[in-house]
Amino acid sequence: MFVNEVNDVKIYNLSAGKSVPDWLTDRRKRSQLMKKVDSRRQIELIQDFDMPGVCTSIRMSPDQQFILATGTYKPRVKCFEVSNLSIKFERCFDSEVTTFEVISDDYSKLVFLQCDRYVEIHAAHGRHYRLRIPRFGRDMKYHKPSCDMFIVGVGRDIYRLNLERGQFLQPYESDASCLNACEVNPEHHLLTVGSKEGTVEAWDPRTKQRCATLDVAMKLPGVKVFPSVTALKFRNGLQMGVGTASGHVLLYDIRSRQPLLIKDHLNKVPIKRLAFNPSQNAVYSLDEATLKLWDEQTGKQIAYVESTSSFNDFCTIPDTGMFFLAQEDVKMLTYYVPAMGPAPRWCSFLDNLTEEIESEVVENVYDDYQFVTQKELEELGLEHLIGSNLLKGYMHGYFMDVRLYNKAKAVVEPFAFDRFRKEKVRQEIESERKSRLQIESKLPKVNKELALKIMDEQANPSNSAKQRNMPSLLQDSRFKAMFENTDFAINKEAEEYRLLAPVLNRLDKSKAKAIKQRIEVAPVAELHAEEAQPREDSDNDEDLFGFEKSEGDSEASSGDDASSDDEDRREYVKEMKQAYKQVKRQREEEEEAEQDDDEEADGPDDYAAPIANGNGNINNPAPRNSANFKLTPLDTDRGNSEAEQRIKQASLQDRIRVMSSLEGNVTNVGRSLGNRQMTFEVNKEKKAQYMAKKREAEMKKHRDERRGIVRNIKSLRLKRVNFK
């Protein structure tokens, strides 16, 4: 159980608790829950209160004895009986359920509106009848006095399905192009529908005529999203709540066109459902991000529930402080707010428990399992466990028992805890120690060069005012450890950093060059004069794309910028080659050192045993380290693959530049309009052979098709006809 306190109002999440892996059997789940004390204190209010994938809608039966919920996948409905706190039955559908209504006091009569235009009517034993409506439906409500089911959706018609006669009646025609929601008043049974155009129409089922039209969009003129009506709910016979697509809730008295109160959710997402709590004068309003509880008189927020995944629906239990939430997740959430009312009679023990419960943090991970990657498994020496029941594959790694992980960690790194303890002691001493001279230093202890670079970029006068006012990484608490913890220090001796060093140097040079160009700006008149010079048309492709005609033309056309760019490219290529050579040389030295260590471990014997020839003479022993004998390291392929991976991680431009020095297919032409030229040859003979084979295959397929169509003449039999 998780407790959250908002505005001195406690909200108890009865669905929070210790997570148990799904792959365990029910027997092992129960044994694990019984072993630990914190698991035994966990409250599971309703057993198996979840869905296989997603829960789309949830309702409470009018007699408050059954909870019905729909979800996927496979599309289904679950019925939970509160007297037994467990599931009663489960049924599956052919398609997903958009919404549903309970038209009896218990679960014996249900009507489901599905996403493929079907309407299913269920009895206590199962599906009773299935029919289809002309257009896709979005909402429906049951009118008890006439036994009519009103269905609204895509289109202007309000369909009427009479469940007593079992047939469709003449639909109502509204002025809107599309209807999103509908609601029937529980006292005088007035039908209201909400449209896409932001209007609410009221219909009298007795006269079958429209009574009035309320324009809600006119009351929200400054919103960016058009306020289509998405939710409707009556508090009593006179008061009504309207939810819009812009995230606003408007409270109306049906006798007036002016709203009593306008509440903004500030999330700019559509309102999905509304509910009232008359005993506490509170309103529940739900969008996909939050469920807000607020006062209907002042609009002041009482409490709220934030979503970890998108909310789909919710339902309240009348005259209590409990409500259920359907979300885009497996769990269906159960919340209890004592300030909104007492607990229901079937779980009255919650009132006594909530007085003793203290808040606790529950992580959304498996507490008894540790997630490890493939690399971490190799470091621990447990890669041989892959495929056994000790490892469970998940995403890019595995789940393993935390006890096994701790034992393997202690064997591989026996002094890790001592180093960790000494580091903590050192940090505590340094934090408590005060220097004699209090010098304010803006630079952190770790990654000083990076901090200086960030400070220089922040103080750059060429930046806009918006960029200068943006918060720096040094002040952001999310990156605080990067400048305090030594584990995040940049290692300049690593291979990755040395391979990236030429790229970083070139970026620094380009930034310095850009600053220099900003300082030495040419006069505006000269720029306009250069732009005004007419360009001579030329039929020569080389002149058009900037290739050099002669040495004199090249000297005239190529300026200082082009020459400097070529020099920068040459230097960059040179630095990249040098970095690759250094990394390769260091790797070869490490391999040679490993080979020398292996040879020393073999023993001091440098000669092989003497070999006898066919004549009985003994040949001279041949030394092992002769010129003809060559050792091949086992990890050569691995080294080559690592080098190939590093080359693949470089940008395409860098790889082309490096390969152009080794191969002559790519040449540098040195102009702005395409500075790369590639030469290749097309093998016309192979192409002709391929086209001939393709044509022959098509003709063969055509002949086979014709052969299958033509009938054999022998299959025809002639009959004699006798004329009399």
Side-chain angles (χ1 to χ4, degrees):
M1 182 182 292
F2 182 78
V3 185
N4 187 19
E5 189 170 351
V6 180
N7 298 331
D8 297 331
V9 177
K10 289 187 176 181
I11 303 174
Y12 294 89
N13 184 2
L14 305 180
S15 303
K18 192 178 182 64
S19 300
V20 180
D22 296 333
W23 62 79
L24 296 180
T25 60
D26 295 339
R27 192 173 188 178
R28 291 198 61 186
K29 287 181 182 179
R30 288 194 297 269
S31 64
Q32 285 198 1
L33 292 176
M34 292 300 295
K35 283 180 182 178
K36 299 185 179 181
V37 179
D38 56 349
S39 299
R40 290 198 297 266
R41 289 192 290 107
Q42 180 182 347
I43 297 175
E44 188 178 6
L45 188 62
I46 301 175
Q47 187 177 3
D48 298 331
F49 196 60
D50 54 14
M51 281 286 173
V54 173
C55 183
T56 56
S57 56
I58 189 168
R59 300 284 188 276
M60 190 81 182
S61 63
D63 60 358
Q64 301 183 17
Q65 294 298 316
F66 301 96
I67 304 169
L68 295 110
T70 60
T72 57
Y73 183 81
K74 188 175 183 293
R76 67 191 65 207
V77 59
K78 285 187 176 183
C79 178
F80 300 90
E81 189 174 4
V82 298
S83 59
N84 295 325
L85 298 178
S86 61
I87 188 170
K88 186 173 182 64
F89 66 84
E90 180 179 3
R91 300 172 187 168
C92 291
F93 303 107
D94 295 334
S95 58
E96 297 182 12
V97 175
T98 303
T99 184
F100 71 98
E101 286 295 317
V102 184
I103 61 177
S104 63
D105 291 337
D106 54 4
Y107 67 90
S108 58
K109 294 180 181 179
L110 306 172
V111 181
F112 298 93
L113 176 63
Q114 298 178 351
C115 62
D116 57 352
R117 297 193 288 127
Y118 273 102
V119 177
E120 285 193 7
I121 302 172
H122 283 234
H125 58 82
R127 189 172 75 182
H128 176 72
Y129 195 73
R130 190 169 187 248
L131 53 90
R132 204 169 193 182
I133 56 177
R135 294 180 180 271
F136 291 97
R138 295 185 177 178
D139 198 5
M140 66 178 181
K141 285 294 181 292
Y142 180 61
H143 187 253
K144 287 187 178 180
S146 63
C147 294
D148 286 346
M149 180 66 69
F150 295 106
I151 305 173
V152 298
V154 179
R156 59 184 299 183
D157 295 331
I158 304 172
Y159 300 109
R160 293 192 300 154
L161 175 62
N162 190 275
L163 300 181
E164 183 180 12
R165 299 168 59 181
Q167 65 181 17
F168 282 103
L169 303 180
Q170 183 68 26
Y172 300 154
E173 292 185 2
S174 64
D175 294 336
S177 63
C178 184
L179 300 176
N180 297 327
C182 63
E183 182 67 24
V184 175
N185 193 290
E187 296 186 10
H188 49 71
H189 306 291
L190 183 70
L191 172 65
T192 56
V193 293
S195 67
K196 182 181 178 181
E197 286 75 13
T199 59
V200 177
E201 296 184 4
W203 290 78
D204 189 354
R206 298 171 300 179
T207 61
K208 300 176 180 56
Q209 293 180 356
R210 182 171 51 247
C211 303
T213 302
L214 178 65
D215 195 344
V216 179
M218 291 293 292
K219 306 302 177 183
L220 302 170
V223 296
K224 296 182 179 179
V225 181
F226 188 79
S228 302
V229 178
T230 56
L232 292 170
K233 188 67 178 178
F234 281 100
R235 183 184 185 272
N236 48 35
L238 297 177
Q239 294 184 3
M240 176 183 65
V242 180
T244 64
S246 59
H248 292 80
V249 180
L250 297 88
L251 300 183
Y252 280 94
D253 191 312
I254 61 174
R255 298 168 294 183
S256 174
R257 294 184 180 274
Q258 298 296 327
L260 302 175
L261 182 68
I262 299 177
K263 174 70 175 179
D264 189 1
H265 261 223
L266 301 176
N267 292 331
K268 298 180 181 180
V269 291
I271 303 296
K272 293 190 174 182
R273 185 167 287 275
L274 298 173
F276 288 92
N277 190 340
S279 61
Q280 301 296 328
N281 293 327
V283 182
Y284 299 76
S285 54
L286 176 78
D287 60 20
E288 66 178 20
T290 56
L291 170 66
K292 291 192 176 183
L293 289 70
W294 45 280
D295 191 282
E296 66 180 14
Q297 301 293 336
T298 61
K300 183 179 178 181
Q301 183 171 280
I302 300 173
Y304 65 90
V305 177
E306 292 183 341
S307 64
T308 55
S309 58
S310 299
F311 287 149
N312 290 329
D313 195 7
F314 84 102
C315 75
T316 60
I317 303 177
D319 302 326
T320 65
M322 182 174 289
F323 55 89
F324 305 103
L325 279 166
Q327 60 174 349
E328 292 283 330
D329 201 354
V330 175
K331 280 188 176 182
M332 293 182 286
L333 304 179
T334 305
Y335 283 89
Y336 174 51
V337 184
M340 293 290 102
R345 294 182 59 184
W346 48 271
C347 57
S348 57
F349 56 87
L350 289 177
D351 290 329
N352 298 328
L353 289 176
T354 52
E355 297 177 358
E356 304 174 359
I357 293 176
E358 297 179 356
S359 61
E360 60 182 19
V361 178
V362 180
E363 298 181 357
N364 192 17
V365 295
Y366 297 142
D367 301 330
D368 296 335
Y369 291 85
Q370 175 71 28
F371 181 79
V372 292
T373 60
Q374 180 75 24
K375 185 177 180 181
E376 292 175 351
L377 270 181
E378 294 176 357
E379 293 176 354
L380 295 174
L382 300 177
E383 62 271 12
H384 62 281
L385 297 179
I386 297 176
S388 64
N389 56 358
L390 297 177
L391 295 178
K392 183 67 179 179
Y394 184 75
M395 294 177 66
H396 62 284
Y398 305 91
F399 270 117
M400 65 183 302
D401 196 296
V402 70
R403 294 170 295 179
L404 177 61
Y405 176 79
N406 293 333
K407 288 181 181 179
K409 195 77 173 176
V411 172
V412 175
E413 300 180 2
F415 302 104
F417 179 75
D418 294 339
R419 290 197 298 269
F420 174 75
R421 185 171 59 83
K422 289 179 181 179
E423 183 67 20
K424 281 292 183 183
V425 171
R426 186 186 63 80
Q427 292 178 2
E428 290 292 334
I429 293 174
E430 289 183 356
S431 62
E432 295 177 358
R433 181 186 299 164
K434 294 182 179 179
S435 62
R436 298 178 181 177
L437 298 177
Q438 298 292 336
I439 301 175
E440 295 184 358
S441 178
K442 295 183 179 180
L443 292 178
K445 296 181 180 180
V446 182
N447 295 331
K448 293 184 179 180
E449 296 182 1
L450 179 61
L452 279 172
K453 187 179 295 185
I454 294 173
M455 293 168 65
D456 292 340
E457 291 179 355
Q458 194 78 12
N460 191 356
S462 62
N463 293 337
S464 61
K466 184 178 180 181
Q467 292 177 346
R468 289 196 297 269
N469 294 330
M470 289 178 63
S472 176
L473 291 179
L474 300 173
Q475 302 173 358
D476 197 336
S477 59
R478 297 175 296 175
F479 305 96
K480 183 179 179 181
M482 189 169 64
F483 301 100
E484 293 181 356
N485 193 348
T486 55
D487 295 337
F488 296 97
I490 298 175
N491 184 14
K492 295 186 178 181
E493 300 298 328
E495 291 185 5
E496 292 81 1
Y497 183 85
R498 282 186 291 174
L499 291 174
L500 288 175
V503 182
L504 299 176
N505 295 335
R506 191 183 183 191
L507 287 176
D508 295 338
K509 290 179 181 179
S510 62
K511 288 181 181 179
K513 183 179 178 181
I515 294 172
K516 185 177 180 181
Q517 288 180 355
R518 292 193 192 99
I519 296 173
E520 299 176 356
V521 180
V524 180
E526 295 181 4
L527 294 176
H528 286 295
E530 291 178 2
E531 293 178 358
Q533 291 179 359
R535 297 183 179 179
E536 297 180 356
D537 297 335
S538 176
D539 297 333
N540 191 358
D541 293 339
E542 295 182 354
D543 186 23
L544 178 63
F545 289 97
F547 293 106
E548 298 177 356
K549 293 182 180 180
S550 62
E551 295 180 357
D553 296 337
S554 64
E555 292 176 359
S557 60
S558 61
D560 297 335
D561 295 337
S563 61
S564 61
D565 291 341
D566 293 339
E567 292 177 359
D568 293 341
R569 292 193 190 96
R570 295 192 195 98
E571 292 178 0
Y572 174 69
V573 173
K574 187 176 180 181
E575 291 177 358
M576 286 291 293
K577 290 181 180 179
Q578 188 175 1
Y580 273 93
K581 289 180 180 179
Q582 290 178 357
V583 172
K584 186 177 181 181
R585 190 183 304 112
Q586 184 179 3
R587 191 180 294 114
E588 291 176 354
E589 291 176 358
E590 292 177 356
E591 292 176 357
E592 291 178 359
E594 291 178 359
Q595 293 177 10
D596 295 340
D597 295 340
D598 295 339
E599 291 176 2
E600 291 177 0
D602 290 340
D605 188 11
D606 294 336
Y607 294 93
I611 302 174
N613 54 17
N615 299 327
N617 298 327
I618 298 177
N619 296 335
N620 293 328
R624 286 186 179 180
N625 296 332
S626 61
N628 297 328
F629 187 79
K630 184 178 180 180
L631 291 175
T632 303
L634 296 176
D635 56 348
T636 305
D637 297 337
R638 187 182 66 181
N640 294 336
S641 62
E642 291 177 357
E644 291 177 358
Q645 290 294 332
R646 290 191 178 90
I647 293 174
K648 289 180 180 179
Q649 291 175 0
S651 64
L652 180 61
Q653 182 179 3
D654 301 338
R655 283 153 49 188
I656 290 175
R657 187 177 294 110
V658 174
M659 296 302 294
S660 63
S661 61
L662 302 177
E663 300 178 2
N665 295 334
V666 182
T667 58
N668 186 3
V669 297
R671 287 299 179 92
S672 59
L673 296 176
N675 55 3
R676 293 293 183 271
Q677 177 179 335
M678 179 179 288
T679 59
F680 60 92
E681 295 180 358
V682 180
N683 195 340
K684 297 182 179 179
E685 296 180 357
K686 291 184 178 180
K687 186 175 181 180
Q689 293 176 1
Y690 171 75
M691 294 301 295
K693 290 181 180 179
K694 184 177 180 181
R695 179 63 179 171
E696 184 179 355
E698 291 178 354
M699 292 299 296
K700 183 179 179 182
K701 182 179 179 182
H702 177 69
R703 287 194 296 270
D704 294 340
E705 291 178 354
R706 296 293 299 173
R707 192 178 295 111
I709 294 173
V710 177
R711 293 183 299 175
N712 192 359
I713 194 170
K714 294 181 180 180
S715 61
L716 299 177
R717 298 178 63 185
L718 298 177
K719 295 182 179 180
R720 292 183 178 180
V721 180
N722 297 325
F723 297 95
K724 294 182 181 180

